[in-house]
Amino acid sequence: MRLEEYIQDSQTLVNKRINEYINKKESACKLIKDAMLYSINCGGKRIRPTLMFLTYEFLSTGKKTDIVDAAAAIEMVHTYSLIHDDLPAMDNDDLRRGKPTNHKVFGDGVAVLAGDGLLTDAFHIISSSKKINEEKKGMVIEILSRRAGSSGMVSGQTIDLVSEGTLLKKNSKKELAEQLDYIHQHKTADMIMAACEIGCILADKEKDLRSISDFAQKIGFAFQIADDILDVIGDKKKIGKNGSDKKNNKLTYVSFYGIEKSKELEEKLLSESLKILDMLDGRDEHKKLMKEMAYLLIGRDR
Ligand code: GRG
């Protein structure tokens, strides 16, 4: 199977499951369902669900549909984070996924609640799943809540938020470099790690968890460096948002290391991640797709 087909198939599956799940809610009010589905249906590459499916299928003989509830959950958590990130109190962006941001359409208050709804329901879709076995549910929830919560993405976002204007302050170079890695690790890499770790756990391959985490951490970092580069040199239409890092005086790889060095770091992380994959046993077809996915994350065709 070609990677494009694999991604499309993953997108279709996850979109269908999230829409079905939200539409079916009887006591949820129409406004919150509309606001949640607006951001879900605004596009989005579904990178995290695709990585979860790939890791699962690489390490087991199962198929995507077995774990669709976990894949839907991680996309719901991701979409919540984007809605909140775009709010005036955070990045104050008008465009996301090429469309007006949630708060531009529904107002700030409803956008906060749409994010809250997606986050909370993500844990409900897992806990009420008829497909994930009971023992595994606890493990999946533990990983997702740890990587998305205050030990993970929320702290990355917090430091990112308060780092605005940091470049103007007198922090030492070493402190800034540490702060930058902290942001990239937690804001971005943690959710990529959660996707692959959950795929690995659901495949019943705890023995491979360390290697899968390392692989995911490297591609997660590389993905964020690529995003920093795109914010500066990317085609606004293609990336579906206006570059706002410079405007917000953000500490990014590009602002700290410059474009050339950022590209070098991205390449190094990519090649290290591929070496980790090479040491793992699994279905060859999926290993190949995972490698292609790693290239795609940094915006390169293989
Ligand atoms: C609000 C707690 C909280 C966290 C927000 C995801 C995030 C953290 C902020 C968004 C800004 C940003 C550049 C984050 C880095 C991760 C990243 C590149 C997100 C965009 O993910 P994609 O490219 O987006 O997968 P799509 O739209 O394709 O889903």
Side-chain angles (χ1 to χ4, degrees):
M1 191 186 257
R2 286 171 50 243
L3 182 62
E4 293 74 38
E5 284 171 49
Y6 194 95
I7 295 175
Q8 236 172 40
D9 193 39
S10 305
Q11 289 170 341
T12 307
L13 211 62
V14 164
N15 295 349
K16 186 167 166 276
R17 180 65 185 116
I18 301 177
N19 274 272
E20 169 196 276
Y21 172 81
I22 294 176
N23 279 320
K24 248 188 163 170
K25 287 184 166 291
E26 279 175 10
S27 57
C29 70
K30 183 172 179 318
L31 178 58
I32 203 67
K33 286 200 218 180
D34 287 349
M36 287 157 67
L37 285 174
Y38 172 78
S39 291
I40 290 291
N41 293 329
C42 261
K45 299 177 287 297
R46 310 306 192 228
I47 285 169
R48 295 150 195 82
T50 302
L51 280 168
M52 190 186 292
F53 288 140
L54 272 173
T55 309
Y56 176 74
E57 292 196 333
F58 168 49
L59 297 174
S60 74
T61 53
K63 53 188 189 315
K64 293 188 194 87
T65 47
D66 306 339
I67 65 161
V68 67
D69 292 334
I74 202 163
E75 187 59 29
M76 289 162 77
V77 173
H78 169 62
T79 303
Y80 121 77
S81 77
L82 299 179
I83 296 174
H84 283 192
D85 181 65
D86 291 333
L87 286 165
M90 297 212 196
D91 266 8
N92 194 19
D93 276 316
D94 298 346
L95 272 184
R96 166 71 65 184
R97 294 173 167 174
K99 309 256 171 54
T101 43
N102 198 292
H103 65 273
K104 284 278 154 196
V105 179
F106 294 94
D108 297 358
V110 173
V112 170
L113 293 165
D116 293 341
L118 285 166
L119 173 61
T120 315
D121 287 348
F123 292 96
H124 181 257
I125 203 171
I126 298 169
S127 54
S128 62
S129 173
K130 294 195 172 64
K131 295 189 170 190
I132 306 173
N133 84 38
E134 293 305 317
E135 184 207 328
K136 291 279 159 60
K137 280 181 188 174
M139 295 168 90
V140 172
I141 289 172
E142 194 282 325
I143 294 171
L144 187 55
S145 56
R146 173 164 45 84
R147 297 279 182 212
S150 57
S151 305
M153 179 176 68
V154 167
S155 279
Q157 177 77 352
T158 306
I159 299 302
D160 188 34
L161 189 70
V162 299
S163 83
E164 287 178 17
T166 294
L167 292 177
L168 306 173
K169 291 189 202 140
K170 284 201 181 89
N171 291 33
S172 73
K173 264 212 138 191
K174 185 169 169 280
E175 279 165 347
L176 281 177
E178 281 169 8
Q179 199 172 358
L180 186 54
D181 282 350
Y182 184 92
I183 294 170
H184 281 39
Q185 171 63 52
H186 294 296
K187 191 175 83 166
T188 309
D190 278 1
M191 285 289 283
I192 302 284
M193 291 172 82
C196 297
E197 287 166 348
I198 291 170
C200 176
I201 288 296
L202 291 174
D204 239 336
K205 287 284 160 60
E206 268 188 87
K207 70 174 182 58
D208 292 330
L209 191 58
R210 188 65 259 156
S211 305
I212 287 291
S213 290
D214 290 348
F215 161 77
Q217 184 184 33
K218 289 182 190 299
I219 59 169
F221 249 83
F223 177 52
Q224 180 58 60
I225 298 174
D227 191 70
D228 287 354
I229 296 173
L230 269 183
D231 194 82
V232 180
I233 62 168
D235 175 343
K236 306 282 176 276
K237 276 212 187 89
K238 249 186 173 167
I239 59 177
K241 58 178 186 173
N242 295 312
S244 59
D245 291 346
K246 192 151 192 282
K247 179 186 84 193
N248 291 335
N249 237 325
K250 276 273 171 76
L251 177 60
T252 71
Y253 259 73
V254 175
S255 67
F256 190 72
Y257 293 106
I259 296 233
E260 283 318 307
K261 177 92 178 130
S262 299
K263 285 186 176 164
E264 272 172 36
L265 281 163
E266 198 184 64
E267 287 294 324
K268 182 170 172 281
L269 287 163
L270 175 71
S271 84
E272 287 171 357
S273 73
L274 299 180
K275 278 190 195 131
I276 296 172
L277 269 191
D278 275 333
M279 290 185 319
L280 286 168
D281 285 330
R283 285 194 262 182
D284 284 341
E285 190 193 355
H286 295 84
K287 185 186 277 194
K288 180 176 144 278
L289 291 172
M290 281 175 88
K291 288 186 177 179
E292 289 175 9
M293 190 72 187
Y295 278 97
L296 189 76
L297 285 185
I298 66 162
R300 265 189 38 197
D301 290 330
R302 205 169 56 95

